[in-house]
């Protein structure tokens, strides 16, 4: 299957919102209770600051949206436009890790390399801006991809701000 990757624009939002919603609802189901999946919908999502920064990407297969994801030079670790506590402070590439953010694969395109394509693209872009380390907060569904790509678990977290407690894993990778 042939995929293309390109920077996301605000014109992509009508297609990305349902992709993100279905990815969250379907791909987390084997790992979480129904209440935790609903809570995940409340705490995750797209931060359009990433689109504005030019660090968010879409993957297509023909006209179909197969996935999306990005990286950030800003302090926020995860969450969407609706999430409290976002921090737009710019990170110092010499001392702070860039963030991998808002990675989603449409359920029809899982296990076909979409996530790996986005992740590799993000790592290369962050490295080009001088970052030598990356960090992220993984869902239980995303953790296997990140571990296979060399990310190491640092801390197990729980976010209950969406209602039910959602288990997450903070991870890091050195690009050196």
């Amino acid at each position: 299957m042939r995929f293309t990757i390109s920077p996301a624009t605000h014109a992509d939002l009508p297609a990305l919102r349902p992709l993100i919603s279905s990815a969250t609802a379907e791909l987390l189901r084997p790992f979480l209770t129904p209440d935790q999946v609903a809570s995940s919908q409340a705490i995750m999502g797209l931060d359009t600051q990433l689109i504005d920064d030019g660090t968010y990407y879409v993957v297509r297969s023909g006209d179909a949206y197969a996935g999306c994801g990005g990286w950030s030079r800003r302090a926020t670790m995860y969450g969407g436009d609706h999430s409290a506590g976002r921090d737009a402070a710019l990170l110092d590439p010499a001392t702070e890790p860039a963030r991998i953010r808002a990675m989603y694969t449409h359920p029809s395109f899982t296990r076909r390399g979409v996530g790996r394509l986005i992740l590799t693209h993000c790592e290369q872009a962050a490295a080009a801006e001088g970052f030598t380390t990356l960090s992220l907060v993984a869902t239980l569904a995303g953790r296997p991809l990140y571990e296979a790509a060399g990310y190491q678990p640092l801390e197990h977290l729980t976010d209950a701000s969406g209602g039910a407690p959602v288990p997450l894993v903070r991870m890091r990778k050195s690009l050196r």
Side-chain angles (χ1 to χ4, degrees):
M1 184 164 287
R2 179 166 148 59
F3 295 111
T4 59
I5 187 167
S6 61
T9 69
H10 286 272
D12 293 310
L13 290 174
L16 295 180
R17 288 193 173 105
L19 183 157
I20 291 167
S21 180
S22 65
T24 303
E26 292 184 41
L27 302 181
L28 292 176
R29 191 176 303 136
F31 299 91
L32 304 176
T33 68
D35 287 344
Q36 289 173 314
V37 172
S39 185
S40 296
Q41 295 272 10
I43 65 173
M44 296 175 195
L46 177 56
D47 180 348
T48 53
Q49 179 69 60
L50 301 172
I51 293 175
D52 295 339
D53 288 347
T55 61
Y56 202 69
Y57 308 99
V58 295
V59 172
R60 291 182 183 88
S61 174
D63 291 335
Y65 283 79
C68 54
W71 71 279
S72 183
R73 59 180 75 86
R74 298 183 185 275
T76 298
M77 287 297 297
Y78 68 96
D81 286 345
H82 60 282
S83 302
R86 294 184 321 161
D87 184 351
L90 292 173
L91 300 167
D92 179 357
T95 60
E96 297 173 294
R99 313 301 196 217
I100 297 296
R101 302 273 316 276
M103 299 270 297
Y104 299 96
T105 299
H106 189 282
S108 298
F109 290 95
T110 58
R111 307 285 181 258
R112 296 184 188 171
V114 173
R116 180 66 79 143
L117 174 63
I118 297 167
L119 192 56
T120 300
H121 194 81
C122 291
E123 290 173 353
Q124 291 169 350
E129 288 199 19
F131 286 94
T132 59
T133 308
L134 295 164
S135 66
L136 57 85
V137 174
T139 63
L140 297 183
R143 181 178 178 172
L145 167 67
Y146 301 126
E147 285 182 334
Y151 287 79
Q152 300 297 315
L154 297 177
E155 176 183 17
H156 293 269
L157 311 167
T158 302
D159 187 333
S161 63
V166 177
L168 302 165
V169 182
R170 190 168 62 87
M171 304 179 82
R172 183 174 281 201
K173 177 181 179 176
S174 173
L175 297 176
R176 294 182 184 176

PDB file of all heavy atoms in Angstrom, residues 78-114:
ATOM      1  N   TYR A  78       0.768  16.425  26.084  1.00  0.00           N
ATOM      2  CA  TYR A  78      -0.335  15.773  25.376  1.00  0.00           C
ATOM      3  C   TYR A  78      -1.606  16.558  25.631  1.00  0.00           C
ATOM      4  O   TYR A  78      -1.657  17.438  26.479  1.00  0.00           O
ATOM      5  CB  TYR A  78      -0.505  14.311  25.793  1.00  0.00           C
ATOM      6  CG  TYR A  78      -0.981  14.090  27.206  1.00  0.00           C
ATOM      7  CD1 TYR A  78      -2.330  13.894  27.489  1.00  0.00           C
ATOM      8  CD2 TYR A  78      -0.093  14.068  28.269  1.00  0.00           C
ATOM      9  CE1 TYR A  78      -2.774  13.685  28.788  1.00  0.00           C
ATOM     10  CE2 TYR A  78      -0.521  13.858  29.571  1.00  0.00           C
ATOM     11  CZ  TYR A  78      -1.859  13.668  29.823  1.00  0.00           C
ATOM     12  OH  TYR A  78      -2.291  13.469  31.102  1.00  0.00           O
ATOM     13  N   GLY A  79      -2.628  16.222  24.860  1.00  0.00           N
ATOM     14  CA  GLY A  79      -3.928  16.870  24.999  1.00  0.00           C
ATOM     15  C   GLY A  79      -4.265  17.689  23.776  1.00  0.00           C
ATOM     16  O   GLY A  79      -3.399  18.015  22.960  1.00  0.00           O
ATOM     17  N   GLY A  80      -5.552  17.985  23.652  1.00  0.00           N
ATOM     18  CA  GLY A  80      -6.042  18.739  22.504  1.00  0.00           C
ATOM     19  C   GLY A  80      -6.366  20.166  22.851  1.00  0.00           C
ATOM     20  O   GLY A  80      -6.084  20.645  23.951  1.00  0.00           O
ATOM     21  N   ASP A  81      -6.981  20.848  21.896  1.00  0.00           N
ATOM     22  CA  ASP A  81      -7.369  22.248  22.090  1.00  0.00           C
ATOM     23  C   ASP A  81      -8.237  22.429  23.331  1.00  0.00           C
ATOM     24  O   ASP A  81      -8.190  23.462  23.977  1.00  0.00           O
ATOM     25  CB  ASP A  81      -8.135  22.759  20.870  1.00  0.00           C
ATOM     26  CG  ASP A  81      -7.247  23.003  19.669  1.00  0.00           C
ATOM     27  OD1 ASP A  81      -6.013  23.066  19.818  1.00  0.00           O
ATOM     28  OD2 ASP A  81      -7.801  23.126  18.558  1.00  0.00           O
ATOM     29  N   HIS A  82      -9.038  21.426  23.649  1.00  0.00           N
ATOM     30  CA  HIS A  82      -9.976  21.496  24.764  1.00  0.00           C
ATOM     31  C   HIS A  82      -9.323  21.175  26.112  1.00  0.00           C
ATOM     32  O   HIS A  82      -9.953  21.326  27.146  1.00  0.00           O
ATOM     33  CB  HIS A  82     -11.129  20.517  24.525  1.00  0.00           C
ATOM     34  CG  HIS A  82     -10.652  19.101  24.401  1.00  0.00           C
ATOM     35  ND1 HIS A  82     -10.074  18.618  23.253  1.00  0.00           N
ATOM     36  CD2 HIS A  82     -10.629  18.083  25.296  1.00  0.00           C
ATOM     37  CE1 HIS A  82      -9.729  17.354  23.442  1.00  0.00           C
ATOM     38  NE2 HIS A  82     -10.056  17.005  24.677  1.00  0.00           N
ATOM     39  N   SER A  83      -8.058  20.731  26.116  1.00  0.00           N
ATOM     40  CA  SER A  83      -7.396  20.293  27.346  1.00  0.00           C
ATOM     41  C   SER A  83      -6.880  21.472  28.154  1.00  0.00           C
ATOM     42  O   SER A  83      -6.305  22.418  27.606  1.00  0.00           O
ATOM     43  CB  SER A  83      -6.221  19.371  27.023  1.00  0.00           C
ATOM     44  OG  SER A  83      -6.652  18.252  26.290  1.00  0.00           O
ATOM     45  N   ALA A  84      -7.055  21.385  29.452  1.00  0.00           N
ATOM     46  CA  ALA A  84      -6.534  22.408  30.362  1.00  0.00           C
ATOM     47  C   ALA A  84      -5.025  22.214  30.536  1.00  0.00           C
ATOM     48  O   ALA A  84      -4.499  21.121  30.335  1.00  0.00           O
ATOM     49  CB  ALA A  84      -7.231  22.297  31.711  1.00  0.00           C
ATOM     50  N   GLY A  85      -4.345  23.281  30.893  1.00  0.00           N
ATOM     51  CA  GLY A  85      -2.943  23.190  31.258  1.00  0.00           C
ATOM     52  C   GLY A  85      -1.953  23.118  30.123  1.00  0.00           C
ATOM     53  O   GLY A  85      -0.801  22.758  30.336  1.00  0.00           O
ATOM     54  N   ARG A  86      -2.365  23.467  28.923  1.00  0.00           N
ATOM     55  CA  ARG A  86      -1.403  23.464  27.822  1.00  0.00           C
ATOM     56  C   ARG A  86      -0.382  24.566  28.046  1.00  0.00           C
ATOM     57  O   ARG A  86      -0.693  25.611  28.599  1.00  0.00           O
ATOM     58  CB  ARG A  86      -2.111  23.637  26.482  1.00  0.00           C
ATOM     59  CG  ARG A  86      -2.993  22.441  26.157  1.00  0.00           C
ATOM     60  CD  ARG A  86      -3.642  22.512  24.811  1.00  0.00           C
ATOM     61  NE  ARG A  86      -4.073  23.858  24.486  1.00  0.00           N
ATOM     62  CZ  ARG A  86      -4.348  24.299  23.281  1.00  0.00           C
ATOM     63  NH1 ARG A  86      -4.249  23.493  22.266  1.00  0.00           N
ATOM     64  NH2 ARG A  86      -4.748  25.521  23.068  1.00  0.00           N
ATOM     65  N   ASP A  87       0.843  24.327  27.610  1.00  0.00           N
ATOM     66  CA  ASP A  87       1.940  25.270  27.825  1.00  0.00           C
ATOM     67  C   ASP A  87       2.646  25.493  26.489  1.00  0.00           C
ATOM     68  O   ASP A  87       3.316  24.597  25.967  1.00  0.00           O
ATOM     69  CB  ASP A  87       2.907  24.695  28.858  1.00  0.00           C
ATOM     70  CG  ASP A  87       4.038  25.641  29.217  1.00  0.00           C
ATOM     71  OD1 ASP A  87       4.194  26.698  28.554  1.00  0.00           O
ATOM     72  OD2 ASP A  87       4.778  25.310  30.152  1.00  0.00           O
ATOM     73  N   ALA A  88       2.501  26.687  25.928  1.00  0.00           N
ATOM     74  CA  ALA A  88       3.072  26.999  24.610  1.00  0.00           C
ATOM     75  C   ALA A  88       4.524  27.455  24.673  1.00  0.00           C
ATOM     76  O   ALA A  88       5.096  27.831  23.644  1.00  0.00           O
ATOM     77  CB  ALA A  88       2.223  28.067  23.926  1.00  0.00           C
ATOM     78  N   ALA A  89       5.150  27.376  25.845  1.00  0.00           N
ATOM     79  CA  ALA A  89       6.551  27.792  25.960  1.00  0.00           C
ATOM     80  C   ALA A  89       7.420  26.963  25.013  1.00  0.00           C
ATOM     81  O   ALA A  89       7.238  25.749  24.891  1.00  0.00           O
ATOM     82  CB  ALA A  89       7.032  27.621  27.395  1.00  0.00           C
ATOM     83  N   LEU A  90       8.353  27.644  24.354  1.00  0.00           N
ATOM     84  CA  LEU A  90       9.264  26.955  23.445  1.00  0.00           C
ATOM     85  C   LEU A  90      10.347  26.229  24.232  1.00  0.00           C
ATOM     86  O   LEU A  90      10.852  26.726  25.235  1.00  0.00           O
ATOM     87  CB  LEU A  90       9.894  27.947  22.476  1.00  0.00           C
ATOM     88  CG  LEU A  90       8.936  28.561  21.456  1.00  0.00           C
ATOM     89  CD1 LEU A  90       9.626  29.661  20.663  1.00  0.00           C
ATOM     90  CD2 LEU A  90       8.384  27.495  20.519  1.00  0.00           C
ATOM     91  N   LEU A  91      10.681  25.032  23.766  1.00  0.00           N
ATOM     92  CA  LEU A  91      11.702  24.206  24.401  1.00  0.00           C
ATOM     93  C   LEU A  91      13.078  24.568  23.858  1.00  0.00           C
ATOM     94  O   LEU A  91      13.212  25.010  22.711  1.00  0.00           O
ATOM     95  CB  LEU A  91      11.413  22.730  24.122  1.00  0.00           C
ATOM     96  CG  LEU A  91      10.065  22.221  24.627  1.00  0.00           C
ATOM     97  CD1 LEU A  91       9.760  20.852  24.026  1.00  0.00           C
ATOM     98  CD2 LEU A  91      10.045  22.181  26.141  1.00  0.00           C
ATOM     99  N   ASP A  92      14.099  24.337  24.655  1.00  0.00           N
ATOM    100  CA  ASP A  92      15.486  24.563  24.247  1.00  0.00           C
ATOM    101  C   ASP A  92      16.038  23.244  23.718  1.00  0.00           C
ATOM    102  O   ASP A  92      16.205  22.289  24.487  1.00  0.00           O
ATOM    103  CB  ASP A  92      16.310  25.037  25.442  1.00  0.00           C
ATOM    104  CG  ASP A  92      17.768  25.267  25.118  1.00  0.00           C
ATOM    105  OD1 ASP A  92      18.208  25.016  23.970  1.00  0.00           O
ATOM    106  OD2 ASP A  92      18.495  25.699  26.032  1.00  0.00           O
ATOM    107  N   PRO A  93      16.336  23.160  22.421  1.00  0.00           N
ATOM    108  CA  PRO A  93      16.815  21.896  21.855  1.00  0.00           C
ATOM    109  C   PRO A  93      18.099  21.379  22.509  1.00  0.00           C
ATOM    110  O   PRO A  93      18.360  20.187  22.495  1.00  0.00           O
ATOM    111  CB  PRO A  93      17.059  22.201  20.379  1.00  0.00           C
ATOM    112  CG  PRO A  93      16.368  23.476  20.096  1.00  0.00           C
ATOM    113  CD  PRO A  93      16.216  24.201  21.399  1.00  0.00           C
ATOM    114  N   ALA A  94      18.883  22.269  23.088  1.00  0.00           N
ATOM    115  CA  ALA A  94      20.140  21.859  23.704  1.00  0.00           C
ATOM    116  C   ALA A  94      19.932  21.151  25.040  1.00  0.00           C
ATOM    117  O   ALA A  94      20.778  20.352  25.457  1.00  0.00           O
ATOM    118  CB  ALA A  94      21.045  23.078  23.902  1.00  0.00           C
ATOM    119  N   THR A  95      18.803  21.423  25.701  1.00  0.00           N
ATOM    120  CA  THR A  95      18.623  20.879  27.051  1.00  0.00           C
ATOM    121  C   THR A  95      17.294  20.163  27.276  1.00  0.00           C
ATOM    122  O   THR A  95      17.128  19.505  28.306  1.00  0.00           O
ATOM    123  CB  THR A  95      18.738  21.996  28.100  1.00  0.00           C
ATOM    124  OG1 THR A  95      17.718  22.976  27.844  1.00  0.00           O
ATOM    125  CG2 THR A  95      20.112  22.651  28.069  1.00  0.00           C
ATOM    126  N   GLU A  96      16.338  20.294  26.335  1.00  0.00           N
ATOM    127  CA  GLU A  96      15.017  19.727  26.546  1.00  0.00           C
ATOM    128  C   GLU A  96      14.621  18.848  25.362  1.00  0.00           C
ATOM    129  O   GLU A  96      14.994  19.132  24.226  1.00  0.00           O
ATOM    130  CB  GLU A  96      13.986  20.844  26.724  1.00  0.00           C
ATOM    131  CG  GLU A  96      14.253  21.709  27.958  1.00  0.00           C
ATOM    132  CD  GLU A  96      13.317  22.898  28.025  1.00  0.00           C
ATOM    133  OE1 GLU A  96      13.411  23.777  27.147  1.00  0.00           O
ATOM    134  OE2 GLU A  96      12.501  22.923  28.960  1.00  0.00           O
ATOM    135  N   PRO A  97      13.833  17.811  25.622  1.00  0.00           N
ATOM    136  CA  PRO A  97      13.394  16.956  24.514  1.00  0.00           C
ATOM    137  C   PRO A  97      12.202  17.552  23.769  1.00  0.00           C
ATOM    138  O   PRO A  97      11.323  18.166  24.376  1.00  0.00           O
ATOM    139  CB  PRO A  97      12.981  15.655  25.211  1.00  0.00           C
ATOM    140  CG  PRO A  97      12.603  16.061  26.592  1.00  0.00           C
ATOM    141  CD  PRO A  97      13.454  17.264  26.933  1.00  0.00           C
ATOM    142  N   ALA A  98      12.204  17.372  22.462  1.00  0.00           N
ATOM    143  CA  ALA A  98      11.019  17.693  21.665  1.00  0.00           C
ATOM    144  C   ALA A  98       9.936  16.693  22.048  1.00  0.00           C
ATOM    145  O   ALA A  98      10.208  15.634  22.620  1.00  0.00           O
ATOM    146  CB  ALA A  98      11.336  17.594  20.174  1.00  0.00           C
ATOM    147  N   ARG A  99       8.692  17.019  21.737  1.00  0.00           N
ATOM    148  CA  ARG A  99       7.560  16.162  22.080  1.00  0.00           C
ATOM    149  C   ARG A  99       7.009  15.479  20.832  1.00  0.00           C
ATOM    150  O   ARG A  99       6.867  16.120  19.787  1.00  0.00           O
ATOM    151  CB  ARG A  99       6.416  16.980  22.686  1.00  0.00           C
ATOM    152  CG  ARG A  99       6.796  17.970  23.759  1.00  0.00           C
ATOM    153  CD  ARG A  99       7.459  17.344  24.946  1.00  0.00           C
ATOM    154  NE  ARG A  99       7.446  18.298  26.053  1.00  0.00           N
ATOM    155  CZ  ARG A  99       8.424  18.440  26.915  1.00  0.00           C
ATOM    156  NH1 ARG A  99       9.502  17.698  26.811  1.00  0.00           N
ATOM    157  NH2 ARG A  99       8.326  19.304  27.897  1.00  0.00           N
ATOM    158  N   ILE A 100       6.677  14.215  20.963  1.00  0.00           N
ATOM    159  CA  ILE A 100       5.881  13.520  19.948  1.00  0.00           C
ATOM    160  C   ILE A 100       4.444  13.668  20.417  1.00  0.00           C
ATOM    161  O   ILE A 100       4.129  13.395  21.572  1.00  0.00           O
ATOM    162  CB  ILE A 100       6.276  12.038  19.823  1.00  0.00           C
ATOM    163  CG1 ILE A 100       7.730  11.903  19.364  1.00  0.00           C
ATOM    164  CG2 ILE A 100       5.317  11.298  18.889  1.00  0.00           C
ATOM    165  CD1 ILE A 100       8.010  12.456  17.971  1.00  0.00           C
ATOM    166  N   ARG A 101       3.542  14.109  19.525  1.00  0.00           N
ATOM    167  CA  ARG A 101       2.194  14.468  19.958  1.00  0.00           C
ATOM    168  C   ARG A 101       1.115  13.935  19.022  1.00  0.00           C
ATOM    169  O   ARG A 101       1.296  13.863  17.808  1.00  0.00           O
ATOM    170  CB  ARG A 101       2.042  16.003  19.974  1.00  0.00           C
ATOM    171  CG  ARG A 101       2.995  16.801  20.849  1.00  0.00           C
ATOM    172  CD  ARG A 101       2.516  16.951  22.269  1.00  0.00           C
ATOM    173  NE  ARG A 101       1.117  17.285  22.397  1.00  0.00           N
ATOM    174  CZ  ARG A 101       0.600  18.519  22.316  1.00  0.00           C
ATOM    175  NH1 ARG A 101       1.370  19.551  22.132  1.00  0.00           N
ATOM    176  NH2 ARG A 101      -0.699  18.690  22.458  1.00  0.00           N
ATOM    177  N   ALA A 102      -0.020  13.610  19.593  1.00  0.00           N
ATOM    178  CA  ALA A 102      -1.278  13.365  18.892  1.00  0.00           C
ATOM    179  C   ALA A 102      -1.147  12.414  17.701  1.00  0.00           C
ATOM    180  O   ALA A 102      -1.539  12.727  16.591  1.00  0.00           O
ATOM    181  CB  ALA A 102      -1.898  14.696  18.451  1.00  0.00           C
ATOM    182  N   MET A 103      -0.620  11.226  17.971  1.00  0.00           N
ATOM    183  CA  MET A 103      -0.448  10.208  16.937  1.00  0.00           C
ATOM    184  C   MET A 103      -1.702   9.334  16.878  1.00  0.00           C
ATOM    185  O   MET A 103      -2.093   8.741  17.885  1.00  0.00           O
ATOM    186  CB  MET A 103       0.759   9.327  17.273  1.00  0.00           C
ATOM    187  CG  MET A 103       2.079  10.069  17.342  1.00  0.00           C
ATOM    188  SD  MET A 103       2.910  10.115  15.766  1.00  0.00           S
ATOM    189  CE  MET A 103       3.204   8.402  15.475  1.00  0.00           C
ATOM    190  N   TYR A 104      -2.303   9.239  15.692  1.00  0.00           N
ATOM    191  CA  TYR A 104      -3.517   8.445  15.510  1.00  0.00           C
ATOM    192  C   TYR A 104      -3.469   7.742  14.162  1.00  0.00           C
ATOM    193  O   TYR A 104      -3.099   8.345  13.154  1.00  0.00           O
ATOM    194  CB  TYR A 104      -4.766   9.324  15.549  1.00  0.00           C
ATOM    195  CG  TYR A 104      -4.932  10.053  16.861  1.00  0.00           C
ATOM    196  CD1 TYR A 104      -4.487  11.362  16.999  1.00  0.00           C
ATOM    197  CD2 TYR A 104      -5.505   9.424  17.956  1.00  0.00           C
ATOM    198  CE1 TYR A 104      -4.622  12.035  18.206  1.00  0.00           C
ATOM    199  CE2 TYR A 104      -5.648  10.091  19.171  1.00  0.00           C
ATOM    200  CZ  TYR A 104      -5.197  11.392  19.286  1.00  0.00           C
ATOM    201  OH  TYR A 104      -5.330  12.044  20.485  1.00  0.00           O
ATOM    202  N   THR A 105      -3.879   6.487  14.155  1.00  0.00           N
ATOM    203  CA  THR A 105      -4.017   5.725  12.913  1.00  0.00           C
ATOM    204  C   THR A 105      -5.480   5.332  12.770  1.00  0.00           C
ATOM    205  O   THR A 105      -6.087   4.828  13.725  1.00  0.00           O
ATOM    206  CB  THR A 105      -3.136   4.456  12.929  1.00  0.00           C
ATOM    207  OG1 THR A 105      -1.763   4.858  13.068  1.00  0.00           O
ATOM    208  CG2 THR A 105      -3.303   3.657  11.649  1.00  0.00           C
ATOM    209  N   HIS A 106      -6.032   5.551  11.592  1.00  0.00           N
ATOM    210  CA  HIS A 106      -7.407   5.133  11.344  1.00  0.00           C
ATOM    211  C   HIS A 106      -7.482   3.621  11.519  1.00  0.00           C
ATOM    212  O   HIS A 106      -6.595   2.888  11.051  1.00  0.00           O
ATOM    213  CB  HIS A 106      -7.835   5.524   9.930  1.00  0.00           C
ATOM    214  CG  HIS A 106      -9.289   5.324   9.696  1.00  0.00           C
ATOM    215  ND1 HIS A 106      -9.831   4.075   9.448  1.00  0.00           N
ATOM    216  CD2 HIS A 106     -10.321   6.195   9.704  1.00  0.00           C
ATOM    217  CE1 HIS A 106     -11.123   4.191   9.314  1.00  0.00           C
ATOM    218  NE2 HIS A 106     -11.456   5.474   9.464  1.00  0.00           N
ATOM    219  N   PRO A 107      -8.510   3.109  12.194  1.00  0.00           N
ATOM    220  CA  PRO A 107      -8.606   1.662  12.425  1.00  0.00           C
ATOM    221  C   PRO A 107      -8.523   0.805  11.163  1.00  0.00           C
ATOM    222  O   PRO A 107      -8.049  -0.331  11.223  1.00  0.00           O
ATOM    223  CB  PRO A 107      -9.969   1.505  13.110  1.00  0.00           C
ATOM    224  CG  PRO A 107     -10.180   2.809  13.811  1.00  0.00           C
ATOM    225  CD  PRO A 107      -9.583   3.847  12.891  1.00  0.00           C
ATOM    226  N   SER A 108      -8.894   1.322  10.016  1.00  0.00           N
ATOM    227  CA  SER A 108      -8.796   0.568   8.762  1.00  0.00           C
ATOM    228  C   SER A 108      -7.369   0.435   8.259  1.00  0.00           C
ATOM    229  O   SER A 108      -7.109  -0.323   7.318  1.00  0.00           O
ATOM    230  CB  SER A 108      -9.638   1.234   7.669  1.00  0.00           C
ATOM    231  OG  SER A 108     -10.986   1.252   8.032  1.00  0.00           O
ATOM    232  N   PHE A 109      -6.430   1.172   8.868  1.00  0.00           N
ATOM    233  CA  PHE A 109      -5.049   1.183   8.379  1.00  0.00           C
ATOM    234  C   PHE A 109      -4.028   0.732   9.423  1.00  0.00           C
ATOM    235  O   PHE A 109      -2.829   0.956   9.244  1.00  0.00           O
ATOM    236  CB  PHE A 109      -4.687   2.594   7.883  1.00  0.00           C
ATOM    237  CG  PHE A 109      -5.400   2.982   6.623  1.00  0.00           C
ATOM    238  CD1 PHE A 109      -6.576   3.700   6.678  1.00  0.00           C
ATOM    239  CD2 PHE A 109      -4.913   2.608   5.383  1.00  0.00           C
ATOM    240  CE1 PHE A 109      -7.253   4.068   5.521  1.00  0.00           C
ATOM    241  CE2 PHE A 109      -5.572   2.954   4.217  1.00  0.00           C
ATOM    242  CZ  PHE A 109      -6.749   3.685   4.286  1.00  0.00           C
ATOM    243  N   THR A 110      -4.475   0.086  10.488  1.00  0.00           N
ATOM    244  CA  THR A 110      -3.528  -0.355  11.505  1.00  0.00           C
ATOM    245  C   THR A 110      -2.619  -1.454  10.975  1.00  0.00           C
ATOM    246  O   THR A 110      -2.965  -2.170  10.040  1.00  0.00           O
ATOM    247  CB  THR A 110      -4.256  -0.860  12.770  1.00  0.00           C
ATOM    248  OG1 THR A 110      -5.117  -1.932  12.400  1.00  0.00           O
ATOM    249  CG2 THR A 110      -5.032   0.253  13.443  1.00  0.00           C
ATOM    250  N   ARG A 111      -1.448  -1.540  11.576  1.00  0.00           N
ATOM    251  CA  ARG A 111      -0.449  -2.575  11.266  1.00  0.00           C
ATOM    252  C   ARG A 111       0.023  -2.534   9.809  1.00  0.00           C
ATOM    253  O   ARG A 111       0.354  -3.556   9.226  1.00  0.00           O
ATOM    254  CB  ARG A 111      -0.972  -3.969  11.598  1.00  0.00           C
ATOM    255  CG  ARG A 111      -1.503  -4.131  13.005  1.00  0.00           C
ATOM    256  CD  ARG A 111      -0.362  -4.199  14.000  1.00  0.00           C
ATOM    257  NE  ARG A 111      -0.857  -4.388  15.353  1.00  0.00           N
ATOM    258  CZ  ARG A 111      -0.945  -3.422  16.259  1.00  0.00           C
ATOM    259  NH1 ARG A 111      -0.591  -2.199  15.950  1.00  0.00           N
ATOM    260  NH2 ARG A 111      -1.375  -3.679  17.474  1.00  0.00           N
ATOM    261  N   ARG A 112       0.070  -1.331   9.253  1.00  0.00           N
ATOM    262  CA  ARG A 112       0.539  -1.177   7.865  1.00  0.00           C
ATOM    263  C   ARG A 112       1.682  -0.170   7.753  1.00  0.00           C
ATOM    264  O   ARG A 112       2.038   0.234   6.653  1.00  0.00           O
ATOM    265  CB  ARG A 112      -0.614  -0.745   6.964  1.00  0.00           C
ATOM    266  CG  ARG A 112      -1.696  -1.804   6.888  1.00  0.00           C
ATOM    267  CD  ARG A 112      -2.769  -1.409   5.939  1.00  0.00           C
ATOM    268  NE  ARG A 112      -3.867  -2.357   6.026  1.00  0.00           N
ATOM    269  CZ  ARG A 112      -5.022  -2.181   5.448  1.00  0.00           C
ATOM    270  NH1 ARG A 112      -5.248  -1.112   4.718  1.00  0.00           N
ATOM    271  NH2 ARG A 112      -5.969  -3.075   5.580  1.00  0.00           N
ATOM    272  N   GLY A 113       2.211   0.277   8.881  1.00  0.00           N
ATOM    273  CA  GLY A 113       3.359   1.177   8.860  1.00  0.00           C
ATOM    274  C   GLY A 113       3.024   2.650   8.936  1.00  0.00           C
ATOM    275  O   GLY A 113       3.915   3.489   8.832  1.00  0.00           O
ATOM    276  N   VAL A 114       1.750   2.992   9.137  1.00  0.00           N
ATOM    277  CA  VAL A 114       1.354   4.406   9.192  1.00  0.00           C
ATOM    278  C   VAL A 114       1.998   5.101  10.393  1.00  0.00           C
ATOM    279  O   VAL A 114       2.602   6.163  10.260  1.00  0.00           O
ATOM    280  CB  VAL A 114      -0.187   4.540   9.236  1.00  0.00           C
ATOM    281  CG1 VAL A 114      -0.600   5.992   9.470  1.00  0.00           C
ATOM    282  CG2 VAL A 114      -0.795   4.012   7.944  1.00  0.00           C
TER     283      VAL A 114
END
